Amino acid sequence: MSGGGGGGSAPSRFADYFVICGLDTETGLEPDELSALCQYIQASKARDGASPFISSTTEGENFEQTPLRRTFKSKVLARYPENVDWNPFDQDAVGMLCMPKGLAFKTQADPREPQFHAFIITREDGSRTFGFALTFYEEVTSKQICSAMQTLYHMHNAEYDVLHAPLADSGDQSGMEDGEGIPGTKLQRFNSYDISRDTLYVSKCICLITPMSFMKACRSVLRQLYQAVTSPQPPPLPLESYIYNVLYEVPLPPPGRSLKFSGVYGPIICQRPSTNELPLFDFPVKEVFELLGVENVFQLFTCALLEFQILLYSQHYQRLMTVAETITALMFPFQWQHVYVPILPASLLHFLDAPVPYLMGLHSNGLDDRSKLELPQEANLCFVDVDNHFIELPEDLPQFPNKLEFVQEVSEILMAFGVPPEGNLHCSESTSKLKRIRASELVSDKRNGNIAGSPLHSYELLKENETIARLQALVKRTGLEVREDPSSNKDFKVQCDEEELRIYQLNIQIREVFANRFTQMFADYEVFVIQPSQDKESWFTNREQMQNFDKASFLSDQPEPYLPFLSRFLETQMFASFIDNKIMCHDDDDKDPVLRVFDSRVDKIRLLNVRTPTLRTSMYQKCTTVDEAEKAIELRLAKIDHTAVHPHLLDMKIGQGKYEPGFFPKLQSDVLCTGPASNKWTKRNAPAQWRRKDRQKQHTEHLRLDNDQREKYIQEARNMGSTIRQPKLSNLSPSVIAQTNWKFVEGLLKECRNKTKRMLVEKMGREAVELGHGEVNITGVEENTLIASLCDLLERIWSHGLQVKQGKSALWSHLLHYQENRQRKLTSGSLSASGILLDSERRKSDASAVMSPLRISLIQDMRHIQNIGEIKTDVGKARAWVRLSMEKKLLSRHLKQLLSDHELTKKLYKRYAFLRCDDEKEQFLYHLLSFNAVDYFCFTNVFTTILIPYHILIVPSKKLGGSMFTANPWICISGELGETQVLQIPRNVLEMTFECQNLGKLTTVQIGHDNSGLYAKWLVEYVMVRNEITGHTYKFPCGRWLGKGMDDGSLERVLVGELLISLPEVDERPCRTPPLQQSPSVIRRLVTISPNNKPKLNTGQIQESIGEAVNGIVKHFHKPEKERGSLTLLLCGECGLVSALEQAFQHGFKSPRLFKNVFIWDFLEKAQTYYETLEQNDVVPEENWHTRARNFCRFVSAVNNTPRNIGKDGKFQMLVCLGARDHLLHHWIALLADCPITAHMYEDVALIKDHTLVNSLIRVLQTLQEFNITLDTSLVKGIDI
């Protein structure tokens, strides 16, 4: 396979086409309709009619734009050969990408340095073709064109003087390419064209289209061709010979080999990595770090991995391309799965509207600053101003794991190559940092040719920095001789010059370090891949429902700081495709080449580390593969494996290869259109199949045959998440735009369906797991990730087809419009306010034991969010509102209400927008409705510091004279995040609202009174507390007296609460009431005056309930910390440990006389007295027993001495909680079982007298020893043990 010769997968040719683009003198000057259409689209979008995107600023022929600055249509003038079957020629795409802004005209006064840029054409199947273009200026010889330009100028100047006499400086600046314009004061001075005085130049472009990205070699070929055209002497052979050679006689180097072929003036070398090295990548990584600095590169890299929308902005096409290609190459082994257009032609700007993740490059004219650029959506956009060293990030971007050490490792390499980690300012055009001199002017302005002490140090430095290629011209003018290709006149040991070698070395070192990070992070990913149980066919058809990776287990092994990044990364399309690839290719033979390289590296690491696959370490491990990788490249460059045939004279017609300096000649098409009849490289007769395969596979780098079936799967798997990889680069009729938008709408709906399903599967866990759908538990981190990605999806849906963008969040902006509309209607009185507001007032007077229902209001929920001072941005507000709606189970309903204002939707959105496609919108709302099936606390758990109003309702027993109660009651509420002060309740008021910092999920309520007045007895049935923002209502059952001499004499009680489940409401109902009949199962004690008339349980039932209570606590501690529920409920709730032990002690308890209650606490106090007297008499059986007895006495007396009036049952509860906390319960049970007091107070059948039962009880309680139990403060207030 790596050989050079025969077989179906023989290497193909180095280049497929040679193309020339430029001005077609036959058709003359045509304004660029595409750009004009784009301007039209933009103009209809922008309120003020000015388009933020395009060089010519308003629709049609804009007269503020001088004719030299306007865009004219460029054409593909010639291509050789006409067509090759394995790579059909795409005329529209090539024309657009060779000259993305159309033709440019200049005069002799303008700088006219040639510009090189690369580009990519992505086909529908995801495969790529690469283009390399050199644009230069040629004198216009056609008289018609010159006079047309002169006429345009006369018209322009006449119009201009009439319209814009005062605004003389604004017109000139909007369209300059490459920043060469000088901001003018009076337009005509700089920009006029006079046919008698000026020479007119027009841009022309020569281009190579190749199957693989050998950027350096192609740049060298094109530069040497251009040099041949501009040098005073004609080249040794006609140009046709060299072009023919590149097209037909130069092969692609086989994997792992290097190749040398001849340019016009010197040899050109390219080398290709072998199948076990990192894939081919030929752009200078160094330049990206110089332009952006390490910190920005890392942020951009993180955004790309998490599939944010990324927009690169620069006035150099080559920089856009270099940054995009570098970022995607550093992702190895993952591949960008979405829209990828590193150079976005001016006519495709409506594509920035795309509601999908994209990586696009936008050309700036070097004059407009970022603030002029209006982008359709910025909520999840990463904007990179490449020239100005500046990056804008989406909100809450997680940090890449081990970022500090990683940055350190990369910085060390950069410094070794003389690149400062903060970037090189002289190659960024940052005005703030280069006050002294603007680099772009220095580069492009003739007058600066001889600046002394220029900040650009040395020719070496420039040579390294690809995009300052123009500086070579500057250096030429200052009298230095610049050699295009030093290897032509020196003989290095390595066959390329020092600089080039250093670029190769730096590239491979940085790439190895990045690859090593992923190898370390995913060293044992294979263990977590869920192999499908069914065959590939059926797996594939159900692919979307299936989990292909055990995310929960993988994350549970990771160090805590990695989680925010990893949990989001595992949700991306690129990760899913990577795992799909893994599942599709079991055996090594049909492995995707990228995967094979990655897996072999993972295996090496495993051998090195020989650690158990599940044991993770957050130790940073540096890259060790650099030297080996570097050596492979140096070897290839030192010993060239293949040398191609030299260019030679062709059988040409005499006198046609006429040479005219400065003009690219018209080439003879008959010699260039067909290759040699037999050539061992071309393989014209090779089956078409491998050529097609070759095309599909070539972006994964290694060319080989493959079975069709699998290719189909993988291709479909890749397309699953994204419907479009690259816009169709063709003439944009409205129907094409409509079709593209339709694809987006379908894609959004599909994504919504998948996201909702995934979130439900994660939440509902248990049932789903039975069906083979994934893990039971979901971590807090993961839930946050899923909700964040839902928010991203909503932002993308709301930004699709927006008429005018306002603010960074399209969703919040829509909500604000809606709010404003409602306010207007209220003030104008078209909505009756009464029905909404009086509802709650009316209910207050009704003294029934029901809390007035919380009104459902979209506007009210918005106000809650607007009142949270901590949230400063629109994007943040939109996300908080989504979280709140999710928690209230109102998301679908609210959004339905928002979209029911059709007038508003029409005003804000274009016809094609997702939100105006009725069927899709309905389906979308229906998918969101499914979230109501599960409970989210995504608002409460995230906004932990905000103030929240709580509403309290106390329900005393009606039948036992609650109205005569004279004491002053108080209440104190505790939750997972904190507790309130003691709140005094005004007498006879049973309902009140107070505000305090978010308590989280509520756990307990302490309620009591001060025992004042004649009738200080109070029988409370239950207490209800509601969070007025989220509507969560908790019920705290009590059913006991509070009063001296009543029940157990308690003046205060600690009640444990449970969340009430609200009934799924019917849409038509105006409000929802928490259904009170649904109390949390059976209330522990209904109004029982005496605790003894409870149903008696037999010993088996008691053992079972203790077992269940302990089991509940054990399970609690086995869950990840973020998911544990309330421990208080497990200890003191209705089926908690306290209740179970109470049953055990009640069993066989002798009740002495009628009408007098004896409580368990009385028994414990007697036992305490007994042990204390024993100790005084020094009758101590053994040391161990002594310590236990002393401990027991200490705890009982501490509980007895508490200043709180918690009653006997309250004291028992406190003792059990303390015993559980300090792991003493099993000792105490053993102690009490042997105590003589037990013999007096219990009957013979009692559980505590049965040794086998007591022993099994002790064993059960011992299991709690390994857990660190922390008690809610409300349970142990006033105790300091």
Side-chain angles (χ1 to χ4, degrees):
M1 182 189 131
S2 60
S9 59
S12 48
R13 309 193 303 221
F14 179 80
D16 289 335
Y17 296 98
F18 179 78
V19 185
I20 304 172
C21 297
L23 168 66
D24 185 351
T25 44
E26 316 287 299
T27 55
L29 284 184
E30 293 179 79
D32 192 340
E33 282 162 29
L34 287 174
S35 295
L37 171 66
C38 180
Q39 289 156 32
Y40 169 70
I41 292 171
Q42 290 306 329
S44 65
K45 185 175 192 167
R47 285 149 298 173
D48 52 4
S51 148
F53 293 136
I54 308 135
S55 54
S56 39
T57 333
T58 47
E59 49 186 300
E61 274 290 288
N62 174 1
F63 284 102
E64 287 196 16
Q65 200 60 13
T66 63
L68 278 180
R69 296 275 170 240
R70 289 181 200 156
T71 46
F72 296 97
K73 195 180 273 178
S74 68
K75 292 236 171 97
V76 173
L77 302 178
R79 63 171 194 262
Y80 312 102
E82 272 300 302
N83 211 14
V84 295
D85 336 346
W86 60 89
N87 182 2
F89 189 76
D90 184 342
Q91 179 139 350
D92 288 324
V94 173
M96 266 190 198
L97 291 167
C98 275
M99 305 183 103
K101 288 201 125 174
L103 294 174
F105 284 93
K106 301 205 170 185
T107 64
Q108 77 286 349
D110 299 306
R112 300 184 306 282
E113 298 310 331
Q115 294 286 331
F116 170 82
H117 75 270
F119 59 85
I120 278 185
I121 298 174
T122 310
R123 294 195 196 72
E124 298 216 334
D125 63 1
S127 63
R128 294 174 171 182
T129 295
F130 300 88
F132 301 94
L134 186 72
T135 308
F136 52 91
Y137 286 86
E138 247 182 25
E139 191 179 322
V140 179
T141 48
S142 152
K143 288 281 174 284
Q144 290 97 318
I145 302 280
C146 292
S147 50
M149 185 55 83
Q150 174 87 60
T151 314
L152 284 173
Y153 256 100
H154 287 317
M155 288 161 63
H156 168 76
N157 289 348
E159 283 284 331
Y160 188 86
D161 292 339
V162 174
L163 290 173
H164 294 286
L167 294 173
D169 33 328
S170 62
D172 170 43
Q173 299 169 28
S174 43
M176 302 181 196
E177 204 171 334
D178 303 328
E180 22 356 53
I182 305 102
T185 46
K186 188 80 178 108
L187 194 96
Q188 284 78 349
R189 251 174 55 206
F190 294 104
N191 242 336
S192 58
Y193 166 66
D194 181 340
I195 198 163
S196 57
R197 183 191 70 216
D198 296 321
T199 319
L200 190 61
Y201 292 88
V202 66
S203 53
K204 186 175 236 179
C205 172
I206 50 176
C207 165
L208 280 174
I209 305 285
T210 65
M212 292 182 80
S213 175
F214 289 109
M215 194 269 298
K216 296 193 192 74
C218 292
R219 188 179 59 196
S220 205
V221 171
L222 296 172
R223 281 188 177 165
Q224 294 193 36
L225 283 171
Y226 173 68
Q227 204 183 335
V229 173
T230 49
S231 75
Q233 273 73 44
L237 292 169
L239 289 186
E240 282 87 344
S241 297
Y242 300 105
I243 293 167
Y244 182 89
N245 185 22
V246 167
L247 286 176
Y248 301 110
E249 295 171 333
V250 177
L252 272 181
R257 305 294 174 85
S258 50
L259 167 80
K260 182 178 186 173
F261 62 97
S262 306
V264 183
Y265 295 111
I268 295 167
I269 287 160
C270 59
Q271 51 96 26
R272 179 171 165 190
S274 69
T275 48
N276 52 10
E277 292 174 60
L278 292 180
L280 171 67
F281 174 73
D282 206 26
F283 288 81
V285 169
K286 170 182 185 184
E287 185 183 323
V288 177
F289 283 98
E290 285 188 325
L291 286 166
L292 295 176
V294 177
E295 184 55 34
N296 286 342
V297 171
F298 269 86
Q299 301 283 36
L300 170 56
F301 181 62
T302 310
C303 289
L305 287 171
L306 297 179
E307 296 181 345
F308 283 103
Q309 293 179 323
I310 295 172
L311 185 62
L312 309 173
Y313 190 60
S314 166
Q315 40 174 324
H316 305 272
Y317 295 121
Q318 182 60 3
R319 282 185 184 177
L320 294 173
M321 190 70 188
T322 305
V323 174
E325 282 290 273
T326 302
I327 290 299
T328 48
L330 293 177
M331 287 176 182
F332 172 91
F334 304 102
Q335 290 169 338
W336 179 259
Q337 297 293 322
H338 301 276
V339 173
Y340 182 69
V341 192
I343 295 174
L344 187 66
S347 45
L348 289 183
L349 287 167
H350 70 283
F351 234 76
L352 292 171
D353 214 3
V356 291
Y358 58 64
L359 202 169
M360 301 207 231
L362 185 61
H363 183 266
S364 81
N365 57 22
L367 290 157
D368 288 349
D369 61 346
R370 161 76 179 95
S371 57
K372 297 233 180 69
L373 192 65
E374 276 201 11
L375 302 168
Q377 51 199 47
E378 295 175 40
N380 8 355
L381 179 74
C382 169
F383 177 85
V384 186
D385 185 343
V386 179
D387 303 334
N388 292 318
H389 207 86
F390 164 74
I391 181 168
E392 261 175 50
L393 296 167
E395 292 186 16
D396 54 281
L397 183 68
Q399 202 175 60
F400 193 81
N402 284 116
K403 182 175 159 195
L404 288 174
E405 296 94 325
F406 192 5
V407 167
Q408 182 61 34
E409 189 177 2
V410 170
S411 302
E412 284 166 14
I413 293 177
L414 290 172
M415 276 155 38
F417 282 85
V419 181
E422 65 281 3
N424 228 343
L425 292 182
H426 74 249
C427 53
S428 79
E429 273 126 40
S430 158
T431 37
S432 58
K433 300 194 178 128
L434 267 187
K435 288 279 192 321
R436 306 179 303 286
I437 179 164
R438 177 114 183 229
S440 60
E441 287 174 16
L442 171 78
V443 170
S444 58
D445 196 300
K446 270 202 173 132
R447 294 163 311 179
N448 289 341
N450 297 316
I451 290 182
S454 138
L456 308 162
H457 314 306
S458 65
Y459 173 58
E460 268 58 48
L461 238 157
L462 303 180
K463 191 67 181 123
E464 272 175 282
N465 195 336
E466 306 294 341
T467 39
I468 306 202
R470 291 180 299 176
L471 278 165
Q472 294 186 7
L474 166 77
V475 182
K476 255 185 206 161
R477 289 201 294 275
T478 54
L480 278 173
E481 177 53 28
V482 180
R483 284 271 164 181
E484 264 307 321
D485 196 326
S487 58
S488 56
N489 55 359
K490 291 185 197 162
D491 208 298
F492 280 96
K493 283 187 194 61
V494 178
Q495 303 268 319
C496 66
D497 68 354
E498 227 7 70
E499 265 329 313
E500 213 160 299
L501 180 64
R502 282 174 72 75
I503 287 175
Y504 276 128
Q505 288 170 333
L506 178 58
N507 266 13
I508 197 66
Q509 289 192 20
I510 298 273
R511 291 178 66 209
E512 284 289 344
V513 168
F514 273 80
N516 171 57
R517 264 318 344 102
F518 287 121
T519 325
Q520 300 283 359
M521 279 161 65
F522 293 98
D524 31 17
Y525 83 100
E526 291 189 50
V527 186
F528 300 98
V529 173
I530 302 170
Q531 288 296 349
S533 43
Q534 64 278 66
D535 59 295
K536 296 269 160 82
E537 254 323 320
S538 49
W539 172 78
F540 200 75
T541 44
N542 302 316
R543 161 73 197 85
E544 294 188 26
Q545 286 84 44
M546 303 307 290
Q547 283 272 42
N548 62 4
F549 190 75
D550 182 353
K551 294 173 186 165
S553 308
F554 178 78
L555 289 173
S556 64
D557 276 3
Q558 299 293 335
E560 183 75 23
Y562 289 16
L563 294 179
F565 172 82
L566 280 176
S567 57
R568 288 173 75 166
F569 180 64
L570 299 188
E571 295 300 322
T572 57
Q573 190 62 37
M574 72 175 75
F575 186 76
S577 303
F578 173 74
I579 299 295
D580 283 347
N581 268 355
K582 180 74 183 164
I583 291 174
M584 296 310 304
C585 23
H586 262 323
D587 38 354
D588 253 8
D589 297 343
D590 64 11
K591 239 189 217 171
D592 179 84
V594 170
L595 197 61
R596 190 185 306 108
V597 176
F598 185 69
D599 281 354
S600 70
R601 288 166 170 245
V602 164
D603 296 342
K604 266 190 202 143
I605 280 201
R606 283 211 164 129
L607 287 174
L608 281 173
N609 294 3
V610 201
R611 50 186 179 143
T612 53
T614 47
L615 191 70
R616 281 301 194 316
T617 162
S618 50
M619 275 280 296
Y620 187 80
Q621 284 157 325
K622 279 190 150 186
C623 180
T624 52
T625 48
V626 171
D627 298 344
E628 188 186 334
E630 222 175 293
K631 200 150 279 128
I633 293 182
E634 284 166 19
L635 280 172
R636 280 198 291 275
L637 291 174
K639 180 186 153 294
I640 301 294
D641 301 301
H642 300 275
T643 305
V645 183
H646 278 285
H648 49 84
L649 270 171
L650 301 170
D651 182 10
M652 287 170 59
K653 299 192 181 70
I654 303 297
Q656 274 209 332
K658 199 160 104 279
Y659 176 75
E660 204 181 330
F663 290 94
F664 201 85
K666 190 164 168 42
L667 302 172
Q668 288 191 26
S669 54
D670 48 349
V671 289
L672 289 177
C673 271
T674 48
S678 73
N679 177 335
K680 74 168 184 151
W681 294 114
T682 16
K683 277 286 179 205
R684 299 290 295 183
N685 54 353
Q689 183 204 13
W690 78 256
R691 292 197 215 106
R692 188 178 73 250
K693 265 289 146 277
D694 174 29
R695 193 170 84 232
Q696 285 183 343
K697 295 296 284 176
Q698 123 263 309
H699 70 287
T700 56
E701 238 321 300
H702 307 295
L703 313 173
R704 49 203 297 282
L705 269 166
D706 210 328
N707 83 30
D708 273 342
Q709 191 69 22
R710 178 179 152 246
E711 188 54 49
K712 185 189 92 194
Y713 286 151
I714 289 204
Q715 212 37 66
E716 283 180 28
R718 289 205 185 113
N719 292 339
M720 208 147 257
S722 60
T723 35
I724 302 182
R725 285 292 178 80
Q726 181 173 10
K728 190 89 193 81
L729 299 178
S730 57
N731 280 350
L732 284 178
S733 58
S735 68
V736 172
I737 294 182
Q739 198 181 346
T740 307
N741 275 304
W742 187 240
K743 274 190 171 166
F744 283 149
V745 169
E746 286 178 331
L748 285 172
L749 191 61
K750 191 176 197 177
E751 193 177 344
C752 177
R753 187 175 65 233
N754 292 347
K755 279 225 162 73
T756 45
K757 188 177 284 176
R758 163 100 170 83
M759 288 170 77
L760 289 174
V761 163
E762 287 292 4
K763 262 305 212 189
M764 299 171 81
R766 264 179 205 84
E767 308 88 298
V769 172
E770 264 85 86
L771 305 169
H773 274 332
E775 276 291 31
V776 176
N777 54 353
I778 170 169
T779 62
V781 176
E782 204 169 348
E783 173 171 307
N784 264 339
T785 300
L786 291 171
I787 287 173
S789 74
L790 175 74
C791 293
D792 289 349
L793 173 66
L794 293 176
E795 281 296 354
R796 294 213 305 270
I797 287 177
W798 256 258
S799 330
H800 183 238
L802 252 185
Q803 295 276 15
V804 177
K805 185 172 157 291
Q806 297 171 337
K808 285 205 168 184
S809 162
L811 174 56
W812 189 248
S813 153
H814 192 169
L815 284 164
L816 290 173
H817 279 292
Y818 178 79
Q819 192 178 24
E820 203 180 305
N821 274 6
R822 301 289 292 202
Q823 297 305 122
R824 249 204 318 274
K825 285 182 185 160
L826 270 174
T827 45
S828 65
S830 57
L831 283 177
S832 83
S834 59
I836 306 176
L837 304 171
L838 300 179
D839 185 34
S840 50
E841 298 303 313
R842 188 173 37 99
R843 297 289 182 88
K844 281 253 164 59
S845 55
D846 168 19
S848 74
V850 173
M851 231 184 225
S852 58
L854 199 57
R855 198 171 45 148
I856 294 178
S857 154
L858 166 62
I859 303 289
Q860 192 51 50
D861 285 351
M862 281 184 69
R863 289 212 190 99
H864 287 316
I865 302 299
Q866 286 161 327
N867 293 338
I868 300 176
E870 287 92 329
I871 307 176
K872 306 274 189 258
T873 62
D874 286 356
V875 177
K877 286 176 184 159
R879 290 189 168 199
W881 182 85
V882 171
R883 283 173 179 278
L884 178 58
S885 309
M886 291 271 290
E887 188 160 323
K888 294 177 89 161
K889 303 190 178 183
L890 291 174
L891 183 60
S892 181
R893 181 171 171 161
H894 277 349
L895 292 177
K896 185 174 183 176
Q897 192 182 335
L898 175 66
L899 295 171
S900 62
D901 188 340
H902 296 300
E903 286 309 304
L904 180 62
T905 315
K906 267 197 185 120
K907 194 174 95 186
L908 297 179
Y909 289 91
K910 298 187 179 143
R911 182 63 204 92
Y912 64 75
F914 182 92
L915 296 177
R916 289 185 62 187
C917 301
D918 292 340
D919 291 355
E920 282 66 28
K921 186 175 74 185
E922 283 306 309
Q923 286 184 53
F924 157 71
L925 292 171
Y926 174 72
H927 288 312
L928 293 184
L929 197 58
S930 54
F931 287 136
N932 294 5
V934 292
D935 296 319
Y936 282 99
F937 285 89
C938 49
F939 179 82
T940 307
N941 291 343
V942 169
F943 298 102
T944 51
T945 56
I946 61 175
L947 282 179
I948 288 185
Y950 288 94
H951 187 73
I952 305 172
L953 170 71
I954 299 167
V955 181
S957 167
K958 288 214 185 74
K959 34 189 180 200
L960 294 159
S963 50
M964 301 172 349
F965 178 56
T966 56
N968 299 305
W970 56 266
I971 195 166
C972 173
I973 301 168
S974 306
E976 290 180 357
L977 299 173
E979 66 172 2
T980 61
Q981 305 295 317
V982 168
L983 303 164
Q984 297 299 334
I985 304 171
R987 207 173 305 165
N988 296 333
V989 169
L990 299 174
E991 222 175 321
M992 60 185 269
T993 303
F994 70 97
E995 203 174 42
C996 72
Q997 189 170 329
N998 185 355
L999 299 171
K1001 292 182 194 162
L1002 301 188
T1003 50
T1004 60
V1005 158
Q1006 298 156 63
I1007 185 170
H1009 60 77
D1010 62 357
N1011 201 31
S1012 60
L1014 292 172
Y1015 190 79
K1017 306 189 204 42
W1018 199 23
L1019 177 60
V1020 177
E1021 295 234 18
Y1022 57 83
V1023 175
M1024 287 180 73
V1025 182
R1026 180 174 67 205
N1027 176 326
E1028 293 290 270
I1029 292 185
T1030 65
H1032 284 313
T1033 308
Y1034 294 81
K1035 184 169 184 176
F1036 298 86
C1038 176
R1040 306 274 305 257
W1041 282 98
L1042 294 154
K1044 281 269 154 68
M1046 298 297 291
D1047 201 339
D1048 66 346
S1050 155
L1051 290 186
E1052 62 175 274
R1053 292 193 188 279
V1054 177
L1055 312 178
V1056 178
E1058 284 191 72
L1059 181 65
L1060 289 186
I1061 309 300
S1062 53
L1063 286 174
E1065 77 244 23
V1066 191
D1067 253 357
E1068 282 65 54
R1069 239 176 45 200
C1071 63
R1072 63 178 166 171
T1073 335
L1076 290 181
Q1077 347 41 292
Q1078 270 200 320
S1079 60
S1081 58
V1082 189
I1083 292 184
R1084 179 165 142 210
R1085 294 204 174 92
L1086 291 149
V1087 185
T1088 51
I1089 309 302
S1090 142
N1092 291 357
N1093 52 10
K1094 272 165 83 173
K1096 290 274 189 286
L1097 301 180
N1098 62 32
T1099 49
Q1101 289 168 314
I1102 292 172
Q1103 272 185 297
E1104 192 178 326
S1105 67
I1106 292 180
E1108 276 178 12
V1110 170
N1111 203 9
I1113 297 172
V1114 171
K1115 273 188 187 158
H1116 169 89
F1117 282 102
H1118 278 297
K1119 285 183 189 162
E1121 210 164 316
K1122 298 215 169 77
E1123 298 160 38
R1124 297 175 182 171
S1126 160
L1127 185 58
T1128 310
L1129 200 59
L1130 297 172
L1131 289 168
C1132 312
E1134 164 205 352
C1135 300
L1137 185 62
V1138 175
S1139 156
L1141 285 174
E1142 195 173 5
Q1143 299 278 6
F1145 280 110
Q1146 293 274 6
H1147 189 260
F1149 199 40
K1150 290 179 182 170
S1151 185
R1153 290 194 306 280
L1154 239 57
F1155 307 125
K1156 180 169 188 306
N1157 275 334
V1158 179
F1159 292 88
I1160 301 172
W1161 190 251
D1162 299 329
F1163 159 63
L1164 296 175
E1165 280 180 317
K1166 284 186 176 160
Q1168 177 204 5
T1169 322
Y1170 166 75
Y1171 287 125
E1172 279 171 349
T1173 47
L1174 261 192
E1175 202 165 307
Q1176 282 154 11
N1177 306 340
D1178 285 340
V1179 190
V1180 178
E1182 61 185 282
E1183 187 52 42
N1184 205 354
W1185 186 90
H1186 178 75
T1187 328
R1188 287 177 193 179
R1190 189 180 292 162
N1191 258 336
F1192 174 71
C1193 299
R1194 192 163 60 98
F1195 275 86
V1196 173
S1197 60
V1199 172
N1200 254 334
N1201 297 334
T1202 168
R1204 295 166 66 186
N1205 293 303
I1206 49 176
K1208 292 179 176 175
D1209 282 352
K1211 289 176 179 175
F1212 175 73
Q1213 173 168 300
M1214 190 182 271
L1215 185 71
V1216 172
C1217 290
L1218 289 168
R1221 183 191 73 182
D1222 296 350
H1223 308 131
L1224 297 170
L1225 286 177
H1226 54 284
H1227 293 322
W1228 294 347
I1229 299 272
L1231 202 60
L1232 293 169
D1234 291 343
C1235 182
I1237 305 288
T1238 313
H1240 292 298
M1241 297 188 71
Y1242 282 87
E1243 290 163 19
D1244 293 344
V1245 293
L1247 181 147
I1248 199 155
K1249 284 189 175 178
D1250 182 330
H1251 279 292
T1252 41
L1253 290 180
V1254 168
N1255 284 339
S1256 80
L1257 178 58
I1258 288 174
R1259 275 200 302 281
V1260 169
L1261 290 172
Q1262 273 174 328
T1263 55
L1264 294 179
Q1265 271 183 286
E1266 55 184 287
F1267 303 116
N1268 182 10
I1269 294 176
T1270 331
L1271 299 176
D1272 196 312
T1273 45
S1274 58
L1275 298 178
V1276 289
K1277 244 192 206 147
I1279 285 261
D1280 47 356
I1281 279 196

